[in-house]
Amino acid sequence: MSSTRVLVLNSGSSSVKYQLLDMRDSSRLAVGLVERIGERTSRLRHTPLLAGGEPREVTEPIADHGAALKAVAGELSRDGLGLDSPELAAIGHRVVHGGKHFTRPTVVDDAVLAEIERLIPVAPLHNPASLTGIRTAQRLRPDLPQVAVFDTAFHTSMPESAARYALDVEIADEHRIRRYGFHGTSHAYVSRATAELLGKDPSEVNVIVLHLGNGASASAVRGGSCVDTSMGLTPLEGLVMGTRSGDMDPAVIFHLSRVGGMSMDEIDRLLNTRSGLVGLCGDNDMREIRRRIDEGDKRARLAFDIYIHRLRKYIGAYYAVLGKVDAIAFTAGVGENAAPVREAAVAGLEGLGLAVDGELNAVRSDRPRFISPKDARVAVAVVPTDEELEIATQTYALVGAGHEPSPAPSNDLT
Protein backbone atom coordinates (compact mmCIF):
# COMPACT_ATOMS: atom_id res chain seq x y z
CA MET A 1 0.00 0.00 0.00
CA SER A 2 1.48 3.34 -1.03
CA SER A 3 1.91 6.11 1.53
CA THR A 4 0.26 9.21 0.11
CA ARG A 5 -1.17 10.99 3.15
CA VAL A 6 0.36 13.94 4.98
CA LEU A 7 -0.76 15.27 8.36
CA VAL A 8 -0.15 19.01 8.69
CA LEU A 9 0.27 20.39 12.21
CA ASN A 10 0.31 24.07 13.14
CA SER A 11 1.15 24.27 16.83
CA GLY A 12 0.50 27.60 18.54
CA SER A 13 1.18 28.57 22.12
CA SER A 14 -2.24 27.30 23.24
CA SER A 15 -3.66 25.65 20.14
CA VAL A 16 -3.07 23.03 17.46
CA LYS A 17 -4.60 23.30 13.99
CA TYR A 18 -4.41 20.21 11.81
CA GLN A 19 -5.37 18.82 8.43
CA LEU A 20 -4.95 15.37 6.94
CA LEU A 21 -4.52 15.40 3.15
CA ASP A 22 -4.23 12.75 0.46
CA MET A 23 -1.54 13.97 -1.92
CA ARG A 24 -2.74 11.87 -4.84
CA ASP A 25 -5.31 14.58 -5.52
CA SER A 26 -4.59 17.10 -2.70
CA SER A 27 -7.94 16.25 -1.14
CA ARG A 28 -8.63 16.84 2.55
CA LEU A 29 -9.64 13.84 4.63
CA ALA A 30 -10.07 15.63 7.96
CA VAL A 31 -9.55 19.06 9.50
CA GLY A 32 -9.64 20.26 13.08
CA LEU A 33 -8.57 22.60 15.83
CA VAL A 34 -7.61 22.13 19.46
CA GLU A 35 -7.79 25.43 21.34
CA ARG A 36 -7.32 26.76 24.86
CA ILE A 37 -4.76 24.06 25.68
CA GLY A 38 -3.91 24.12 29.38
CA GLU A 39 -7.27 25.61 30.39
CA ARG A 40 -10.35 24.00 31.90
CA THR A 41 -12.36 25.00 28.84
CA SER A 42 -10.18 23.27 26.22
CA ARG A 43 -12.03 22.36 23.05
CA LEU A 44 -11.36 20.03 20.13
CA ARG A 45 -13.36 20.55 16.96
CA HIS A 46 -12.90 17.76 14.41
CA THR A 47 -14.45 17.48 10.96
CA PRO A 48 -14.02 14.30 8.91
CA LEU A 49 -14.46 15.06 5.23
CA LEU A 50 -15.07 11.53 4.03
CA ALA A 51 -18.57 10.67 2.82
CA GLY A 52 -21.00 10.54 5.71
CA GLY A 53 -18.65 12.11 8.25
CA GLU A 54 -20.18 14.46 10.81
CA PRO A 55 -18.36 17.26 12.69
CA ARG A 56 -17.60 16.47 16.32
CA GLU A 57 -16.70 18.65 19.28
CA VAL A 58 -15.05 17.63 22.54
CA THR A 59 -14.98 20.03 25.47
CA GLU A 60 -12.76 18.85 28.31
CA PRO A 61 -9.47 19.90 29.94
CA ILE A 62 -6.46 19.23 27.68
CA ALA A 63 -3.36 19.72 29.78
CA ASP A 64 -0.63 20.21 27.17
CA HIS A 65 0.35 19.73 23.53
CA GLY A 66 1.12 16.06 24.13
CA ALA A 67 -2.42 15.47 25.34
CA ALA A 68 -3.75 17.57 22.45
CA LEU A 69 -2.01 15.50 19.78
CA LYS A 70 -3.09 12.26 21.44
CA ALA A 71 -6.67 13.56 21.36
CA VAL A 72 -6.28 14.43 17.68
CA ALA A 73 -4.90 10.95 16.98
CA GLY A 74 -7.93 9.48 18.75
CA GLU A 75 -10.40 11.46 16.66
CA LEU A 76 -8.62 10.49 13.44
CA SER A 77 -8.68 6.83 14.50
CA ARG A 78 -12.46 7.00 14.94
CA ASP A 79 -12.66 7.78 11.23
CA GLY A 80 -10.21 5.04 10.23
CA LEU A 81 -7.49 7.66 9.63
CA GLY A 82 -5.26 6.97 12.63
CA LEU A 83 -1.61 7.95 12.94
CA ASP A 84 -0.71 4.24 12.81
CA SER A 85 -1.97 4.02 9.22
CA PRO A 86 0.63 2.75 6.71
CA GLU A 87 -0.81 5.29 4.27
CA LEU A 88 0.62 8.17 6.33
CA ALA A 89 3.81 9.29 4.58
CA ALA A 90 4.91 12.13 6.86
CA ILE A 91 3.88 14.83 9.29
CA GLY A 92 4.49 18.39 8.15
CA HIS A 93 4.96 21.09 10.80
CA ARG A 94 4.60 24.83 10.38
CA VAL A 95 7.60 26.49 12.03
CA VAL A 96 7.44 30.28 12.16
CA HIS A 97 11.15 31.13 12.36
CA GLY A 98 13.94 29.35 10.51
CA GLY A 99 16.48 32.18 10.45
CA LYS A 100 18.89 32.26 7.51
CA HIS A 101 19.80 28.59 7.70
CA PHE A 102 16.54 26.99 6.61
CA THR A 103 15.77 28.00 3.04
CA ARG A 104 13.51 25.05 2.22
CA PRO A 105 11.46 22.34 3.95
CA THR A 106 13.69 20.12 6.06
CA VAL A 107 13.39 16.63 7.55
CA VAL A 108 13.76 17.04 11.29
CA ASP A 109 16.74 15.53 13.10
CA ASP A 110 18.58 16.51 16.27
CA ALA A 111 20.57 19.25 14.52
CA VAL A 112 17.40 20.78 13.10
CA LEU A 113 15.70 20.73 16.50
CA ALA A 114 18.75 22.40 18.06
CA GLU A 115 18.71 25.19 15.48
CA ILE A 116 14.97 25.83 15.89
CA GLU A 117 15.59 26.02 19.63
CA ARG A 118 18.53 28.39 19.12
CA LEU A 119 16.17 30.75 17.28
CA ILE A 120 13.74 31.05 20.21
CA PRO A 121 15.10 34.49 21.21
CA VAL A 122 13.89 35.93 17.88
CA ALA A 123 10.57 34.00 17.97
CA PRO A 124 9.77 33.54 21.67
CA LEU A 125 6.02 33.09 21.16
CA HIS A 126 6.14 30.72 18.21
CA ASN A 127 9.19 28.45 18.04
CA PRO A 128 8.69 26.83 21.48
CA ALA A 129 5.19 25.70 20.47
CA SER A 130 6.53 24.32 17.17
CA LEU A 131 9.23 22.38 19.03
CA THR A 132 6.65 20.92 21.39
CA GLY A 133 4.48 19.83 18.47
CA ILE A 134 7.39 18.21 16.64
CA ARG A 135 8.70 16.36 19.69
CA THR A 136 5.25 15.10 20.61
CA ALA A 137 4.66 13.86 17.05
CA GLN A 138 8.06 12.14 17.13
CA ARG A 139 7.03 10.24 20.26
CA LEU A 140 3.74 9.20 18.66
CA ARG A 141 5.35 8.07 15.38
CA PRO A 142 9.14 7.77 15.85
CA ASP A 143 9.41 5.87 12.55
CA LEU A 144 7.77 8.60 10.46
CA PRO A 145 9.54 11.53 8.77
CA GLN A 146 8.76 14.82 10.52
CA VAL A 147 9.19 17.76 8.13
CA ALA A 148 9.60 21.39 9.22
CA VAL A 149 8.23 23.97 6.78
CA PHE A 150 9.38 27.46 7.73
CA ASP A 151 7.41 30.70 7.43
CA THR A 152 10.67 32.54 6.83
CA ALA A 153 12.06 30.24 4.11
CA PHE A 154 10.38 31.92 1.13
CA HIS A 155 11.91 35.24 2.13
CA THR A 156 15.51 34.02 2.35
CA SER A 157 15.88 34.91 -1.33
CA MET A 158 15.79 38.63 -0.43
CA PRO A 159 19.01 40.43 -1.37
CA GLU A 160 21.11 41.80 1.47
CA SER A 161 20.07 45.32 0.48
CA ALA A 162 16.50 44.42 1.49
CA ALA A 163 17.26 42.03 4.36
CA ARG A 164 19.72 44.14 6.36
CA TYR A 165 18.86 47.01 8.66
CA ALA A 166 21.15 50.05 8.66
CA LEU A 167 22.73 49.03 11.97
CA ASP A 168 26.32 48.51 12.99
CA VAL A 169 27.15 45.32 11.09
CA GLU A 170 29.01 43.58 13.92
CA ILE A 171 26.22 44.23 16.44
CA ALA A 172 23.56 43.15 13.95
CA ASP A 173 25.40 39.92 13.17
CA GLU A 174 26.13 39.15 16.81
CA HIS A 175 22.47 39.38 17.76
CA ARG A 176 21.06 37.99 14.48
CA ILE A 177 19.23 41.23 13.70
CA ARG A 178 17.95 41.32 10.13
CA ARG A 179 14.68 41.23 8.24
CA TYR A 180 13.41 37.65 8.04
CA GLY A 181 9.78 38.10 6.97
CA PHE A 182 6.84 35.82 7.80
CA HIS A 183 3.68 34.33 6.23
CA GLY A 184 6.11 32.78 3.75
CA THR A 185 4.05 29.69 2.95
CA SER A 186 1.11 31.92 2.08
CA HIS A 187 3.20 34.28 -0.08
CA ALA A 188 4.76 31.31 -1.90
CA TYR A 189 1.40 29.66 -2.57
CA VAL A 190 -0.41 32.84 -3.62
CA SER A 191 2.36 34.11 -5.90
CA ARG A 192 2.39 30.78 -7.77
CA ALA A 193 -1.40 30.61 -7.90
CA THR A 194 -1.50 34.15 -9.29
CA ALA A 195 0.91 33.19 -12.06
CA GLU A 196 -1.33 30.21 -12.85
CA LEU A 197 -4.35 32.52 -12.97
CA LEU A 198 -2.46 34.65 -15.49
CA GLY A 199 -1.65 31.54 -17.52
CA LYS A 200 2.08 32.01 -17.08
CA ASP A 201 5.01 30.30 -15.41
CA PRO A 202 5.97 31.88 -12.05
CA SER A 203 9.42 32.67 -13.47
CA GLU A 204 7.76 35.06 -15.94
CA VAL A 205 5.65 37.01 -13.46
CA ASN A 206 6.18 39.87 -10.99
CA VAL A 207 3.55 39.91 -8.25
CA ILE A 208 2.79 42.04 -5.19
CA VAL A 209 1.12 39.76 -2.65
CA LEU A 210 -0.99 41.36 0.09
CA HIS A 211 -1.69 38.89 2.90
CA LEU A 212 -4.28 40.76 4.94
CA GLY A 213 -5.58 39.03 8.04
CA ASN A 214 -5.37 39.95 11.72
CA GLY A 215 -1.66 39.72 11.01
CA ALA A 216 -0.80 41.36 7.70
CA SER A 217 2.19 41.42 5.37
CA ALA A 218 3.12 42.36 1.83
CA SER A 219 5.75 40.90 -0.46
CA ALA A 220 7.38 41.76 -3.76
CA VAL A 221 7.90 38.58 -5.79
CA ARG A 222 10.04 38.70 -8.92
CA GLY A 223 10.00 35.62 -11.13
CA GLY A 224 8.90 33.37 -8.28
CA SER A 225 11.45 34.67 -5.73
CA CYS A 226 10.78 37.10 -2.91
CA VAL A 227 12.88 40.27 -3.19
CA ASP A 228 11.26 42.23 -0.35
CA THR A 229 8.65 41.79 2.37
CA SER A 230 7.09 44.03 4.98
CA MET A 231 7.63 42.05 8.19
CA GLY A 232 11.13 42.12 9.61
CA LEU A 233 13.02 40.67 12.58
CA THR A 234 9.58 39.92 14.03
CA PRO A 235 6.01 40.04 12.70
CA LEU A 236 5.60 43.52 14.21
CA GLU A 237 7.10 45.49 11.31
CA GLY A 238 5.19 46.67 8.25
CA LEU A 239 1.48 47.08 7.64
CA VAL A 240 -1.11 48.22 10.19
CA MET A 241 -2.55 44.99 11.63
CA GLY A 242 -5.38 43.95 13.91
CA THR A 243 -3.47 44.52 17.14
CA ARG A 244 0.08 45.33 15.96
CA SER A 245 1.37 48.79 15.14
CA GLY A 246 3.45 47.96 12.08
CA ASP A 247 6.06 50.54 11.02
CA MET A 248 6.89 53.15 13.62
CA ASP A 249 9.72 55.51 14.58
CA PRO A 250 11.91 53.44 16.97
CA ALA A 251 12.29 56.54 19.15
CA VAL A 252 8.66 56.09 20.22
CA ILE A 253 9.93 53.23 22.38
CA PHE A 254 12.55 55.43 24.04
CA HIS A 255 9.92 58.12 24.61
CA LEU A 256 7.46 55.69 26.21
CA SER A 257 10.23 54.40 28.47
CA ARG A 258 11.81 57.72 29.49
CA VAL A 259 8.77 60.00 29.51
CA GLY A 260 5.92 57.53 29.93
CA GLY A 261 7.71 55.41 32.53
CA MET A 262 6.70 52.18 30.80
CA SER A 263 8.77 49.02 31.12
CA MET A 264 10.05 47.14 28.06
CA ASP A 265 7.49 44.39 28.67
CA GLU A 266 4.68 46.94 28.84
CA ILE A 267 5.81 48.56 25.60
CA ASP A 268 6.09 45.13 23.97
CA ARG A 269 2.51 44.31 24.92
CA LEU A 270 1.33 47.75 23.79
CA LEU A 271 2.82 47.44 20.31
CA ASN A 272 1.80 43.81 19.78
CA THR A 273 -1.60 43.55 21.44
CA ARG A 274 -3.02 47.06 22.00
CA SER A 275 -2.05 48.85 18.79
CA GLY A 276 -3.04 48.60 15.13
CA LEU A 277 -6.76 48.75 14.46
CA VAL A 278 -7.73 47.80 18.01
CA GLY A 279 -5.58 50.59 19.40
CA LEU A 280 -7.00 53.13 16.97
CA CYS A 281 -10.69 52.35 17.35
CA GLY A 282 -11.18 49.48 19.78
CA ASP A 283 -12.03 46.89 17.09
CA ASN A 284 -9.79 44.61 15.03
CA ASP A 285 -12.61 43.02 13.02
CA MET A 286 -12.82 44.75 9.65
CA ARG A 287 -16.50 43.86 9.33
CA GLU A 288 -17.29 45.68 12.55
CA ILE A 289 -15.14 48.65 11.56
CA ARG A 290 -16.99 48.97 8.25
CA ARG A 291 -20.33 48.75 10.07
CA ARG A 292 -19.28 51.57 12.39
CA ILE A 293 -18.10 53.66 9.44
CA ASP A 294 -21.51 53.25 7.81
CA GLU A 295 -23.04 54.61 11.03
CA GLY A 296 -20.77 57.67 10.93
CA ASP A 297 -18.20 56.61 13.56
CA LYS A 298 -15.19 58.94 13.15
CA ARG A 299 -12.71 56.77 15.08
CA ALA A 300 -13.52 53.78 12.90
CA ARG A 301 -13.17 55.97 9.79
CA LEU A 302 -9.76 57.21 10.88
CA ALA A 303 -8.57 53.69 11.72
CA PHE A 304 -9.63 52.50 8.26
CA ASP A 305 -7.94 55.44 6.55
CA ILE A 306 -4.66 54.85 8.40
CA TYR A 307 -4.83 51.14 7.50
CA ILE A 308 -5.38 51.93 3.81
CA HIS A 309 -2.74 54.68 3.75
CA ARG A 310 -0.06 52.25 4.96
CA LEU A 311 -1.22 49.60 2.52
CA ARG A 312 -1.06 51.98 -0.44
CA LYS A 313 2.44 53.08 0.59
CA TYR A 314 3.64 49.47 0.39
CA ILE A 315 1.96 48.90 -2.97
CA GLY A 316 3.77 51.94 -4.34
CA ALA A 317 7.08 50.96 -2.72
CA TYR A 318 6.99 47.42 -4.08
CA TYR A 319 5.96 48.66 -7.50
CA ALA A 320 9.21 50.66 -7.44
CA VAL A 321 11.22 47.67 -6.17
CA LEU A 322 9.94 45.40 -8.94
CA GLY A 323 10.01 47.98 -11.73
CA LYS A 324 7.30 46.10 -13.61
CA VAL A 325 4.23 44.53 -11.99
CA ASP A 326 2.01 41.93 -13.66
CA ALA A 327 -0.46 41.49 -10.82
CA ILE A 328 -1.45 42.42 -7.30
CA ALA A 329 -3.00 39.59 -5.30
CA PHE A 330 -5.16 40.05 -2.20
CA THR A 331 -5.37 37.09 0.17
CA ALA A 332 -6.18 35.95 3.75
CA GLY A 333 -9.27 36.84 5.80
CA VAL A 334 -9.49 40.56 5.07
CA GLY A 335 -7.91 40.40 1.63
CA GLU A 336 -10.28 37.68 0.46
CA ASN A 337 -13.50 39.01 1.99
CA ALA A 338 -13.35 42.81 2.46
CA ALA A 339 -14.25 44.36 -0.91
CA PRO A 340 -14.04 47.95 0.48
CA VAL A 341 -10.41 47.35 1.52
CA ARG A 342 -9.46 46.14 -1.95
CA GLU A 343 -11.24 49.03 -3.65
CA ALA A 344 -9.70 51.65 -1.36
CA ALA A 345 -6.21 50.16 -1.60
CA VAL A 346 -5.92 50.81 -5.34
CA ALA A 347 -8.15 53.90 -5.61
CA GLY A 348 -6.24 56.73 -7.25
CA LEU A 349 -3.49 54.45 -8.56
CA GLU A 350 -4.76 54.40 -12.13
CA GLY A 351 -1.49 55.99 -13.22
CA LEU A 352 0.22 52.76 -12.17
CA GLY A 353 -2.23 50.72 -14.25
CA LEU A 354 -4.27 49.67 -11.21
CA ALA A 355 -8.04 49.65 -11.07
CA VAL A 356 -10.87 47.57 -9.63
CA ASP A 357 -14.12 46.72 -11.39
CA GLY A 358 -16.90 47.40 -8.87
CA GLU A 359 -19.13 44.50 -9.94
CA LEU A 360 -16.30 41.96 -10.03
CA ASN A 361 -14.97 43.18 -6.70
CA ALA A 362 -18.38 42.71 -5.05
CA VAL A 363 -18.58 39.02 -6.00
CA ARG A 364 -17.92 36.63 -3.11
CA SER A 365 -16.19 33.39 -4.06
CA ASP A 366 -13.66 30.91 -2.72
CA ARG A 367 -12.06 30.66 -6.17
CA PRO A 368 -9.09 32.67 -7.51
CA ARG A 369 -10.43 35.48 -9.67
CA PHE A 370 -9.63 38.80 -11.29
CA ILE A 371 -11.37 41.91 -9.97
CA SER A 372 -9.73 44.38 -12.36
CA PRO A 373 -11.23 45.54 -15.70
CA LYS A 374 -10.36 43.29 -18.63
CA ASP A 375 -8.21 45.98 -20.23
CA ALA A 376 -6.26 46.81 -17.05
CA ARG A 377 -2.49 47.12 -17.50
CA VAL A 378 -1.90 45.38 -14.16
CA ALA A 379 -4.17 42.56 -13.05
CA VAL A 380 -5.76 42.83 -9.60
CA ALA A 381 -6.76 39.45 -8.21
CA VAL A 382 -8.26 37.78 -5.17
CA VAL A 383 -6.41 34.51 -4.54
CA PRO A 384 -7.52 32.49 -1.49
CA THR A 385 -4.48 31.26 0.38
CA ASP A 386 -3.97 27.63 1.37
CA GLU A 387 -1.05 27.39 3.75
CA GLU A 388 -1.92 23.84 4.83
CA LEU A 389 -1.88 22.60 1.23
CA GLU A 390 1.43 24.41 0.67
CA ILE A 391 2.95 22.75 3.75
CA ALA A 392 1.61 19.34 2.68
CA THR A 393 2.87 19.80 -0.88
CA GLN A 394 6.35 20.79 0.25
CA THR A 395 6.42 17.96 2.80
CA TYR A 396 5.34 15.29 0.34
CA ALA A 397 7.72 16.54 -2.36
CA LEU A 398 10.62 16.22 0.07
CA VAL A 399 9.68 12.81 1.46
CA GLY A 400 8.72 11.45 -1.95
CA ALA A 401 12.09 12.48 -3.37
CA GLY A 402 13.99 10.86 -0.50
CA HIS A 403 15.99 12.86 1.98
CA GLU A 404 19.30 13.19 3.70
CA PRO A 405 19.70 14.46 7.27
CA SER A 406 20.36 18.20 7.32
CA PRO A 407 23.93 19.20 8.20
CA ALA A 408 24.45 20.58 11.67
CA PRO A 409 24.39 24.40 11.42
CA SER A 410 27.62 26.21 12.23
CA ASN A 411 27.72 28.57 15.19
CA ASP A 412 27.77 31.70 13.05
CA LEU A 413 24.54 30.98 11.22
CA THR A 414 21.64 33.32 11.88
Side-chain angles (χ1 to χ4, degrees):
M1 182 181 294
S2 60
S3 301
T4 60
R5 295 176 181 172
V6 173
L7 177 64
V8 174
L9 295 178
N10 181 352
S11 299
S13 59
S14 61
S15 67
V16 176
K17 291 191 289 186
Y18 63 93
Q19 290 193 13
L20 180 65
L21 298 94
D22 190 329
M23 300 314 296
R24 287 175 297 185
D25 57 3
S26 299
S27 61
R28 286 167 173 77
L29 305 177
V31 301
L33 169 68
V34 186
E35 55 187 343
R36 298 196 289 269
I37 295 172
E39 301 179 21
R40 290 185 178 182
T41 56
S42 305
R43 180 171 63 179
L44 190 162
R45 288 179 288 172
H46 176 85
T47 304
L49 299 176
L50 299 173
E54 293 290 334
R56 301 190 292 271
E57 184 170 307
V58 178
T59 303
E60 62 184 17
I62 297 176
D64 52 32
H65 283 72
L69 287 183
K70 288 178 182 177
V72 169
E75 292 301 317
L76 289 170
S77 293
R78 287 180 60 182
D79 303 314
L81 303 169
L83 296 191
D84 57 350
S85 170
E87 294 181 70
L88 190 60
I91 299 178
H93 299 264
R94 177 189 180 228
V95 180
V96 167
H97 216 310
K100 287 175 61 180
H101 178 65
F102 296 112
T103 62
R104 57 185 181 273
T106 304
V107 174
V108 174
D109 58 17
D110 289 343
V112 171
L113 286 173
E115 179 66 3
I116 295 172
E117 189 165 15
R118 196 171 76 91
L119 287 162
I120 286 176
V122 290
L125 298 179
H126 299 96
N127 276 25
S130 298
L131 283 167
T132 300
I134 292 170
R135 286 169 172 151
T136 302
Q138 285 179 321
R139 288 194 294 271
L140 291 174
R141 279 298 303 268
D143 60 314
L144 202 65
Q146 308 287 330
V147 176
V149 179
F150 299 91
D151 266 12
T152 50
F154 183 64
H155 304 304
T156 57
S157 58
M158 284 193 296
E160 285 292 279
S161 57
R164 277 197 177 272
Y165 292 108
L167 287 175
D168 178 279
V169 172
E170 292 182 359
I171 291 176
D173 288 348
E174 179 184 356
H175 298 287
R176 290 172 284 175
I177 299 172
R178 62 186 290 115
R179 303 184 64 251
Y180 293 103
F182 300 90
H183 294 147
T185 51
S186 177
H187 287 278
Y189 177 86
V190 171
S191 60
R192 283 203 317 275
T194 303
E196 183 178 340
L197 191 62
L198 291 168
K200 297 182 178 181
D201 188 271
S203 64
E204 303 172 338
V205 174
N206 289 356
V207 183
I208 297 173
V209 178
L210 303 172
H211 177 109
L212 307 179
N214 192 49
S217 60
S219 68
V221 183
R222 177 184 292 127
S225 296
C226 177
V227 295
D228 206 347
T229 192
S230 58
M231 287 179 168
L233 174 71
T234 75
L236 183 59
E237 186 179 357
L239 302 174
V240 174
M241 303 176 224
T243 65
R244 300 176 195 147
S245 65
D247 291 342
M248 189 182 62
D249 182 347
V252 171
I253 297 170
F254 313 146
H255 183 82
L256 290 172
S257 175
R258 294 167 181 162
V259 179
M262 296 178 67
S263 69
M264 287 298 107
D265 286 344
E266 288 173 327
I267 296 171
D268 192 330
R269 286 192 295 271
L270 170 67
L271 299 184
N272 279 286
T273 67
R274 293 167 46 206
S275 297
L277 292 171
V278 78
L280 290 167
C281 71
D283 273 309
N284 62 337
D285 187 321
M286 188 58 72
R287 293 166 297 186
E288 181 64 15
I289 291 171
R290 290 301 310 177
R291 184 194 65 77
R292 287 171 55 185
I293 289 172
D294 291 342
E295 294 178 352
D297 189 308
K298 292 183 179 180
R299 281 189 64 189
R301 176 82 253 179
L302 178 60
F304 183 82
D305 289 347
I306 292 171
Y307 181 94
I308 294 298
H309 180 76
R310 184 80 55 84
L311 185 56
R312 285 161 55 89
K313 282 177 66 176
Y314 268 92
I315 292 173
Y318 286 171
Y319 206 115
V321 166
L322 292 170
K324 179 181 80 72
V325 175
D326 297 289
I328 291 179
F330 289 89
T331 194
V334 174
E336 294 171 27
N337 297 297
V341 169
R342 299 191 296 259
E343 180 180 10
V346 301
L349 300 181
E350 292 83 4
L352 299 179
L354 295 168
V356 162
D357 180 290
E359 291 186 6
L360 294 176
N361 190 37
V363 172
R364 296 185 67 87
S365 172
D366 60 358
R367 306 286 297 176
R369 60 199 186 277
F370 292 118
I371 59 172
S372 49
K374 291 184 178 180
D375 59 351
R377 193 166 81 242
V378 177
V380 181
V382 179
V383 180
T385 191
D386 198 332
E387 294 174 272
E388 288 77 16
L389 176 58
E390 180 70 15
I391 291 170
T393 300
Q394 292 190 26
T395 296
Y396 192 66
L398 178 62
V399 171
H403 66 270
E404 297 293 334
S406 295
S410 61
N411 291 332
D412 61 347
L413 285 171
T414 55

